[in-house]
Amino acid sequence: MSVLLETSAGDIVIDLLVDYAPKMCENFLKLCKVKYYNFSPIHSIQKSFSFQTGDPLGPLSTQSDGGTSIWGLLSGDPADRTFPALFHPKLKHLERGTVSMATAPHPSDPDTRLAGSQFIVTLGDNTDYLDGKGAIFGKVVEGFDVLEKINDAIIDERGHPLVDIRIKHTVVLDDPYPDPASLREPSSSPPPSKAQLATVRIGEDEELLDEEANEEAAAEAERRRKEREAAAQALTLEMMGDLPFAEVKPPENILFVCKLNPVTTDEDLELIFSRFGKILSCEVVRDRKTGDSLQYAFIEFEDKKSCEEAYYKMDSVLIDDRRIHVDFSQSVSKLSDVWRSETNTKRKRAAAGGGGGWGGVDELEKWRKYRKEDVQQGDDDHYRMVHGVEEMRGRHGRDGGRQGDGPRDREPGRGEDVSRKQGDRPRDPDRRADHSRHSRSRSPRRDRYRNGHDGRNRRPEDAGKGREYGDRGHRDRRDREYGRDRERDRDRDRGGADSRRR
């Protein structure tokens, strides 16, 4: 559970000790949630010791009531403005950044101390003097540089800084407590009240002018402030892409005309303003869907002198029963469009030339990683399939080389090439017919064993190929029955072949 305090000196993050001080943490969280601490001054600064805040008006205001708890704020009952503070025995003011509620003794019971809204943050270590006076409920985890700035602030004899240090905004990062029924969180930070503004001594951004400074110096300070704000806004627009660059300036030869009659057309304006000089373009801005005039226009002159003359002569002139207003254009939309078009054209041109740099270009080179285009057919060293060539040959290629009674055994090397090209096809018509007759009488599962996948019929040179041959020989009983059928069919085929040779 954490809270972010945005102060004029910087941001401070406070972690709350909800397990040790639940009621004080709830009070602090809900006050931050309703923006009660906004514009509260930091006061009572004691160097390397502590500072105090939490009163929206501060001790310098005669209207200050010292602050109230969240329950007193919601009910409006003065009896609920304070509540008894809890001092946990394990929590001590031992390190810098310890956050505790400022307390005061109960009027009728000195042993009981009451807390409201004000809290204390220590600026040094071993500030045990506050034990028993400040009820600890949190600690600073980020923003120790801000504590250094507050510690080094110039203060008066009462500990109030000469240049105001105030809480600007509070952000609740995590809140485990349910909201009271009457609590309403504001949609935005409320502005400072008149009573709060009356307590301002020297604002954080206020220029320190000497006694002889006059209105011109104050106006110059205000002008510099506006220039800084404009530069910051222009930089934001550049980052968002609405401006090509932050220092862009509107063209000086374009006039902005507003308060036009809806019936006034581009030709009417061009005819009226053409007496001041040559007009390059005249455009009445219209609704994109309906085409109705939006009652303002942009007129672009050839030179700056003609634009200035039209500005001085045509302001508040009556056109079509409407008194128009003329000013120099502050729009840079056309400049932005031209800049984007040129930039995009350059990128597309570079991408089309093979330079890349443009998303979605079709000219990117194909990435060939898994296959070599120049590999010849049958080159098993470069492009290896999952099943080896020998396994793909089938039964005829393997059995022919093992039996020793076929042409594959008499012609070494030729049988492998022939089987690779022809697969399991028989060579002579008679054998092809005989093979087809037996194939129709057997199931596909038996064919798989007929093609030599039984590990018991391995050749000596196939030793070591346990995954392809040996593992298949250890099937269950049903697979062994199919193996015996395969042996019987092989003997029948061998007998037919011997009779044909005789």
Side-chain angles (χ1 to χ4, degrees), residues 343-384:
T343 304
N344 293 344
T345 302
K346 292 179 182 179
R347 290 176 177 174
K348 290 180 179 179
R349 190 182 301 115
W358 185 258
V361 67
D362 296 333
E363 290 78 4
L364 294 176
E365 182 182 358
K366 294 182 179 179
W367 188 27
R368 300 180 178 90
K369 176 179 178 181
Y370 300 105
R371 189 184 185 95
K372 295 184 178 180
E373 301 291 342
D374 55 347
V375 176
Q376 300 295 328
Q377 185 175 3
D379 191 356
D380 194 49
D381 294 335
H382 294 83
Y383 190 74
R384 186 176 300 276

Side-chain angles (χ1 to χ4, degrees), residues 88-109:
H88 198 281
K90 291 185 178 181
L91 300 179
K92 303 293 182 181
H93 295 81
L94 298 178
E95 56 184 357
R96 183 179 60 162
T98 302
V99 185
S100 57
M101 277 289 179
T103 62
H106 195 280
S108 59
D109 185 8

Side-chain angles (χ1 to χ4, degrees), residues 3-22:
V3 172
L4 170 64
L5 301 182
E6 299 179 4
T7 72
S8 55
D11 297 344
I12 300 174
V13 178
I14 300 176
D15 274 1
L16 303 182
L17 307 175
V18 295
D19 295 333
Y20 297 93

